[in-house]
Amino acid sequence: MPEPQAPDDTREALAAIASLLAPAHPDVAEQVLHAHDRPHDYVSAFGDRLADRGIDEPVGNLARIALVDALDAHGLLAEFDWKEDAQEIRSQLRKLRSRPSVDPWVLLGEEEMLLPTEKFLHACGRRYREIGAALAVLDIESDCYPVVGLRAARTEELTALAARAGFPLRHLGAGRSGR
């Protein structure tokens, strides 16, 4: 269980995560901090977007949800259902603006395309790692997989920031458990 964090440390870590994952989009950090600092105002401002998630009042993980939604709006995140088809996952990951310049899909075998969602995502994560990229799941306590791509060299930084923010994070394809 993560240690409780001071509010300023959590706020700084959330802003740093947003900047790491969306360096060209300062509005991502602004939205995350809006949700963190003024959750009622954020719910009012983004009620339509949150309604799709069944949220009509502030929830404990609102800043994480704000991060996921803002990254998605910029094409920097793909969100998958727990029973998503491998072809759909592949298609959505290919559309990410943070995708690697080298195509990891040539490394996937036909048998991997038949794996269930979570195992397929881990296979994708392993293939991304082979070319110096990484995939991570930003856990929002739902039955979905919000997946971001980043350079493999930045995963330790993301992990440390997520721990500071009390933000559950899983790296895909990194060892047996993917954590």
Side-chain angles (χ1 to χ4, degrees), residues 26-44:
D27 62 303
V28 172
E30 290 169 12
Q31 287 180 41
V32 170
L33 295 179
H34 183 183
H36 179 267
D37 297 341
R38 298 181 322 280
H40 289 284
D41 292 345
Y42 181 84
V43 170
S44 293

Side-chain angles (χ1 to χ4, degrees), residues 56-157:
D56 59 2
E57 61 185 43
V59 292
N61 62 346
L62 188 61
R64 286 184 272 156
I65 291 169
L67 175 65
V68 164
D69 287 344
L71 290 170
D72 183 49
H74 287 292
L76 297 168
L77 177 135
E79 193 167 351
F80 304 110
D81 184 72
W82 67 275
K83 56 183 178 180
E84 197 75 61
D85 173 75
Q87 289 291 6
E88 180 62 21
I89 292 171
R90 185 176 180 175
S91 173
Q92 293 299 316
L93 289 176
R94 277 187 158 160
K95 293 177 186 176
L96 286 179
R97 290 186 175 159
S98 57
R99 72 186 174 280
S101 57
V102 175
D103 188 1
W105 301 111
V106 297
L107 303 172
L108 280 172
E110 285 184 40
E111 66 283 352
E112 289 173 309
M113 295 299 291
L114 301 174
L115 293 171
T117 303
E118 185 170 11
K119 289 183 179 186
F120 182 71
L121 286 169
H122 281 287
C124 293
R126 284 189 297 278
R127 299 306 181 228
Y128 269 58
R129 285 225 176 250
E130 290 174 13
I131 60 168
L135 292 174
V137 175
L138 306 178
D139 190 349
I140 57 170
E141 301 169 14
S142 181
D143 65 351
C144 64
Y145 299 92
V147 176
V148 294
L150 66 154
R151 291 190 343 255
R154 306 287 309 261
T155 58
E156 287 185 30
E157 180 183 358

